[in-house]
Every structure is written in structure tokens, then in C-alpha cells.
Amino acid sequence: LAKQGMSAAQIASELDDAKCRIRLVALLYTLEYLQKGGRISKTAAFAGGVLFKPVVAIQDGAVAVLGKARGSKKGNNLLIQQVKEAGGIDFDMPFFLGYTGLGYDLVRKYVEDSRELWEGHVESVGYSTVGGTIGTHVGPGAVALAFFAKQ
């Protein structure tokens, strides 16, 4: 932005606008690790149940459970739905797709299931493991997507 000739005040304004569009949604295997890390209550973790895949987001600086789905296919569909409800991904901005666990089968399945989000926007979808600090809180088997929502 500075190279485009914007002033410091204009840059600050652009950044303020952009940060309001940042979204993070994730499909978790369980809520157990969020509860153990103090991110959600025992009641919320119990309500998530062990048979369901919770979809969570960061809203107003806190973890919010957006929904629960039985099985990874329905969980992936719920994650896709959350991206669409946010307005879709602004592919002019960076995005990050990450996963936790020892293998990348879950994230590959998500990329395949969510092909409609990516087709025509990017040649390939890259993904990476989530770092240890976040991974400890979400546990193994999580798929997370951080992106800027379209304006």
C-alpha cells in the first residue's frame, strides 16, 4: 500500500477494513482438546458429543461452535456452508488451509469435497500442518481454513 502511494492514515484505514473480513472456520474431530485447554466449557464440550464432528469459528475473539455433523462428509459440507455464508473467499488476499494429525487424508478429502470453492480461482490448493500451539488446542483430525471474506 505504501508503494501505491498511500499515506499512513490511509494504510491504517485499509488494514482496519481488511481485518474485519478475516474468518477462521475449522472442522474438529472432537471438542475435548478445546475444553482441556480452557477455550470452551465442559458443558459445551459435552454438548458436542463424541459422535459428531463440530464446526467451530473464532467470533469476537472466542471459539464458537457453529454446528455439528455426523461424519466427515457432512462435516466438510458444513464447513463449506460456513465459507459460503461468510460471502466466500477473496482470492485476491492470502488464505491458509491447515490440518492436524499424522496424515493428510482428511485435508485432501476436504479439498476434494469443497472443489466448488476453489475451481476457477486457484490452480491448486496448498495446505500445511497447523503449528503445535494451535494443534494442542484443537487436537488431531482437525481441518481449518483462514481466509478473507469477499467484501
Side-chain angles (χ1 to χ4, degrees), residues 27-35 99-102 106 130-143:
L27 173 65
L28 306 181
Y29 182 75
T30 178
L31 293 172
E32 172 187 359
Y33 296 91
L34 284 174
Q35 185 271 315
Y99 68 97
T100 61
L102 298 176
L106 287 174
V130 172
T133 302
I134 300 297
T136 299
H137 289 291
V138 298
V143 173

Side-chain angles (χ1 to χ4, degrees), residues 6-57:
M6 289 189 177
S7 69
Q10 290 170 316
I11 292 171
S13 176
E14 287 285 325
L15 293 175
D16 278 339
D17 291 345
K19 75 180 180 184
C20 294
R21 297 187 300 119
I22 296 173
R23 303 290 185 272
L24 179 109
V25 292
L27 173 65
L28 306 181
Y29 182 75
T30 178
L31 293 172
E32 172 187 359
Y33 296 91
L34 284 174
Q35 185 271 315
K36 285 182 177 181
R39 302 290 183 222
I40 63 171
S41 68
K42 286 184 180 183
T43 305
F46 180 75
V50 294
L51 298 176
F52 296 96
K53 307 283 185 206
V55 172
V56 300

Side-chain angles (χ1 to χ4, degrees), residues 24-31 34 51-58 63-80 82-83 97-101 105-107 109-111 113-114 130 137-146:
L24 179 109
V25 292
L27 173 65
L28 306 181
Y29 182 75
T30 178
L31 293 172
L34 284 174
L51 298 176
F52 296 96
K53 307 283 185 206
V55 172
V56 300
I58 304 298
V63 176
V65 178
L66 301 178
K68 296 168 274 193
R70 189 175 284 251
S72 63
K73 175 72 172 175
K74 289 182 180 176
N76 285 347
N77 289 341
L78 186 54
L79 198 58
I80 294 164
Q82 292 301 318
V83 172
L97 182 60
Y99 68 97
T100 61
D105 292 340
L106 287 174
V107 72
K109 183 172 179 359
Y110 173 72
V111 169
D113 290 347
S114 62
V130 172
H137 289 291
V138 298
V143 173
L145 176 60

